Amino acid sequence: MSPEQFVDIASLIALVFLLLALLISLVRIVIGPSLADRVLALDMLTVVAMGFVGAVAVRTGLTLYLDIAIALALLGFLATVALSRYILLRAARREMITEERDAV
């Protein structure tokens, strides 16, 4: 087996596992019992997508895909931070409403 064949088979196996992980994270986004679970699944989806793009870059030999993976990482990080802040603000608003009801 030549090194090129080994890399080709290994990248194909990686793509299959990453596809499975992508499907599992999609199921978690749909079923997730809470908003925090869905945000975590979205973050996992972003990381798996980065791996998928990286595996495609290895398989095709095009370095353009690595730039796409870096941009995807930045986008995923910003989305996770924004959604986390939203969850925190929503929880604080609920606490404030509960305290106002208890005070009345």
Side-chain angles (χ1 to χ4, degrees):
M1 177 182 284
S2 69
E4 291 85 16
Q5 288 176 331
F6 179 75
V7 169
D8 192 44
I9 292 172
S11 64
L12 187 63
I13 291 171
L15 285 173
V16 169
F17 281 118
L18 287 168
L19 185 64
L20 288 174
L22 203 69
L23 292 175
I24 290 171
S25 62
L26 282 175
V27 167
R28 188 64 173 176
I29 287 174
V30 171
I31 295 176
S34 69
L35 184 60
D37 291 331
R38 289 187 172 117
V39 169
L40 192 61
L42 184 67
D43 191 41
M44 181 179 145
L45 181 83
T46 305
V47 170
V48 170
M50 285 177 3
F52 199 83
V53 171
V56 169
V58 168
R59 192 165 173 79
T60 60
L62 294 176
T63 56
L64 174 67
Y65 289 114
L66 297 177
D67 294 336
I68 294 170
I70 291 170
L72 192 60
L74 180 63
L75 186 67
F77 173 73
L78 291 176
T80 302
V81 168
L83 290 172
S84 299
R85 285 191 52 90
Y86 171 71
I87 290 172
L88 284 175
L89 289 176
R90 198 170 100 172
R93 188 175 301 150
R94 280 187 184 169
E95 274 187 35
M96 210 165 81
I97 290 173
T98 304
E99 287 176 4
E100 287 177 3
R101 284 184 189 164
D102 291 342
V104 173

